[in-house]
Amino acid sequence: MTIDLLKNYIDGAFVESSSSETIDLVNPVDETVVARTPVSTDADVDAAVAAAQRAFRTWGRTTPGRRQTALLALADAIEAHTDEIVEAQCRNTGQPKAVVAAEEVKVGADQLRFFAGAARLLEGKSAGEYMEGFTSYVRREPIGVVGQVTPWNYPFMMAIWKIGPALAAGNTVVLKPSDTTPESTLVLARLSQGILPDGVLNVILGNAATGASLVEHPALGLVSITGSVRAGIAVAVSAAKQVKRAHLELGGKAPAVVFADADIDKAAGGIAEAGIFNGGQDCTAATRVLVHESVHDAFVDALVAKAEALAPGLPDDPDAFYGPLNNAAHFGRVVEKIASLPSHAKVRTGGNRIGDTGFFFAPTIVTDVAQDDAIVQEETFGPVITVQSFSDEEQAIEMANGVDYGLAASVWTRDHGTVQRMSVALDSGAVWINCHIPLVAEMPHGGFKQSGYGKDLSAYGVEDYTRLKHVMSSHD
């Protein structure tokens, strides 16, 4: 069988990398090699950035209406090629095809349409005479060439989250997808041909070294990454050395706080789904349950039953709730997390590999953990949920906020006062009430603490890809 060598997308065309080094793309379902990707060089990055610089001279001056028209046309093309995008992505991720079609492609097209509209609704302080004899106003301008790095957990949707606000604001983009999941991003690039002017969107393939080459490029005005805290710190340090802006959406360790008055069955079902969806490979996943001691045992029983009903499966299996973990290295890390649990922790269900081939891991519930255990403090990024108990609201807040992350949280209660107090006290960029994980294009997504800074989605996300300029005119 011939294994295809993928190509970079630069200046409106697919071009071979100048590098002879390649990476095997492995299907996590059966561990077969499905393609090879080049490890792009500094020269490849230079070519992509130069193309983006040329394109910015025009795209950065294009009217919001014209940018909107282009993004709407791209959204239509995405929907028309749903099956192709799904097939390309599932070769790299093993996700259920129905989930990719519904949760990434359909949602991604909708999000792109939102960004298309947001291009025409950027706001600034109204013009006025703030000093006698002078009129001041604010220009909100595109930054220029933006470098972006996307992860492997939601490859297509994360590409939309990156390019949508950047292009809507008038920037041009050089995007590097994860080295294990580039194919759906390349389909997106091909669909943009003839819709976006050449050089507006460029895609560079490669490994972490390629990403570092992109992030360090001096011509970039902003670098944006969705990834691990370690990767985010590296990007922030690199950006700081050149005094360029950074936009970081990093990890999470989201608490789900269940009070005694909550609907236990609903909470258990919602949290199980939010913790195990996409194999737990989600920075907002409900990974830590904090449940009132009076309902702890009943909740754990319900959570175990709900989790055990969420089976992994093959991409074409209509009953599969999630697929395999993405790659061998990550699979090994999740296995090691469970193998190294302290003796006081109890695995109530799961904790094991499923099958002999592919990176499938069973839904896993771990109880009797302590706040300082690694499984509580560190991101697992697998279908693993821990459960702890609390005695009162103050302790629940302390435990919920007692990690380095601050991306998302949820509160499960029937009491309005509890909702209001907890939504203020939780140190998280998103707080869900009696639900966990829904996202909408109109609302911002982004965290606090080591979960990063900057917002994806919403008009705030578009504003992050702009710069403000004060213009002051004398009346004389």
Side-chain angles (χ1 to χ4, degrees):
M1 182 179 69
T2 302
I3 303 297
D4 291 334
L5 177 62
L6 304 179
K7 296 180 179 180
N8 293 324
Y9 183 75
I10 300 174
D11 206 15
F14 286 97
V15 295
E16 293 184 357
S17 168
S18 60
S19 172
S20 60
E21 184 181 355
T22 62
I23 302 168
D24 287 344
L25 292 184
V26 176
N27 187 326
V29 170
D30 57 17
E31 301 179 56
T32 60
V33 176
V34 295
R36 292 190 175 92
T37 182
V39 178
S40 295
T41 64
D42 291 351
D44 297 322
V45 172
D46 286 342
V49 173
Q53 285 179 299
R54 291 191 298 271
F56 179 69
R57 295 168 195 157
T58 301
W59 184 255
R61 297 287 186 267
T62 300
T63 65
R66 289 185 177 179
R67 294 199 298 271
Q68 179 191 44
T69 298
L71 293 178
L72 290 175
L74 183 55
D76 290 344
I78 287 168
E79 283 193 333
H81 292 81
T82 295
D83 290 345
E84 181 182 358
I85 296 168
V86 169
E87 290 293 334
Q89 180 151 308
C90 289
R91 280 195 299 271
N92 298 169
T93 65
Q95 295 165 286
K97 291 180 180 178
V99 171
V100 176
E103 301 296 334
E104 292 199 52
V105 181
K106 181 179 179 181
V107 171
D110 176 72
Q111 291 166 342
L112 196 58
R113 291 186 178 111
F114 169 81
F115 290 127
R120 303 182 72 162
L121 200 61
L122 289 173
E123 297 180 348
K125 196 175 186 71
S126 62
E129 289 65 52
Y130 301 99
M131 180 182 289
E132 187 175 346
F134 297 86
T135 296
S136 291
Y137 63 93
V138 169
R139 289 180 55 85
R140 189 177 286 279
E141 300 177 340
I143 295 167
V145 179
V146 173
Q148 301 179 317
V149 180
T150 52
W152 44 253
N153 57 332
Y154 297 107
F156 188 79
M157 187 167 66
M158 292 298 97
I160 296 296
W161 283 23
K162 292 299 183 208
I163 73 167
L167 299 182
N171 303 281
T172 55
V173 167
V174 180
L175 174 67
K176 193 202 87 66
S178 168
D179 56 0
T180 65
T181 59
E183 291 196 77
S184 61
T185 303
L186 292 176
V187 176
L188 174 63
R190 182 178 60 75
L191 295 177
S192 75
Q193 286 179 310
I195 295 175
L196 298 176
D198 295 347
V200 168
L201 172 62
N202 306 272
V203 178
I204 287 288
L205 305 178
N207 57 13
T210 307
S213 177
L214 173 61
V215 167
E216 293 166 3
H217 201 288
L220 301 183
L222 179 146
V223 290
S224 175
I225 182 174
T226 296
S228 67
V229 172
R230 175 188 54 78
I233 291 172
V235 168
V237 169
S238 174
K241 290 178 180 178
Q242 297 177 356
V243 199
K244 74 175 63 162
R245 290 166 61 177
H247 184 282
L248 311 177
E249 201 282 278
L250 308 178
K253 197 68 181 175
V257 185
V258 182
F259 285 89
D261 67 335
D263 182 326
I264 297 301
D265 188 69
K266 178 183 177 181
I271 292 168
E273 291 184 0
I276 295 169
F277 183 74
N278 205 39
Q281 299 169 125
D282 190 314
C283 50
T284 61
T287 58
R288 297 186 294 136
V289 178
L290 309 176
V291 58
H292 192 269
E293 58 191 10
S294 65
V295 293
H296 173 274
D297 293 349
F299 177 84
V300 169
D301 289 343
L303 182 65
V304 167
K306 298 290 187 181
E308 289 176 343
L310 302 175
L314 301 176
D316 289 312
D317 182 354
D319 296 324
F321 184 70
Y322 66 101
L325 300 183
N326 180 256
N327 57 78
H330 178 57
F331 178 78
R333 287 191 291 269
V334 174
V335 170
E336 176 59 25
K337 285 274 190 181
I338 300 302
S340 60
L341 285 171
S343 58
H344 56 259
K346 297 179 182 178
V347 177
R348 291 293 304 267
T349 189
N352 57 282
R353 179 177 191 165
I354 297 178
D356 299 321
T357 304
F359 309 129
F360 294 93
F361 201 83
T364 301
I365 307 297
V366 183
T367 63
D368 296 79
V369 292
Q371 183 72 15
D372 59 355
D373 288 342
I375 196 71
V376 171
Q377 291 292 321
E378 300 171 4
E379 191 171 37
T380 303
F381 226 56
V384 179
I385 302 173
T386 63
V387 183
Q388 300 166 265
S389 64
F390 65 85
S391 58
D392 57 34
E393 189 173 309
E394 182 178 356
Q395 185 185 26
I397 293 168
E398 181 180 0
M399 294 169 70
N401 292 338
V403 297
D404 290 334
Y405 301 95
L407 184 59
S410 61
V411 178
W412 302 78
T413 179
R414 292 184 172 95
D415 185 79
H416 178 74
T418 301
V419 166
Q420 295 304 306
R421 292 189 301 274
M422 291 296 293
S423 63
V424 172
L426 288 170
D427 200 7
S428 300
V431 178
W432 288 292
I433 308 301
N434 292 325
C435 60
H436 193 119
I437 227 168
L439 295 169
V440 292
E442 294 82 359
M443 290 291 115
H445 175 75
F448 308 146
K449 301 191 287 188
Q450 289 194 14
S451 290
Y453 47 81
K455 296 298 181 184
D456 290 321
L457 301 176
S458 79
Y460 300 105
V462 180
E463 289 180 358
D464 278 355
Y465 287 92
T466 66
R467 65 184 190 180
L468 292 177
K469 178 185 290 183
H470 168 216
V471 179
M472 193 174 202
S473 176
S474 171
H475 294 181
D476 293 334

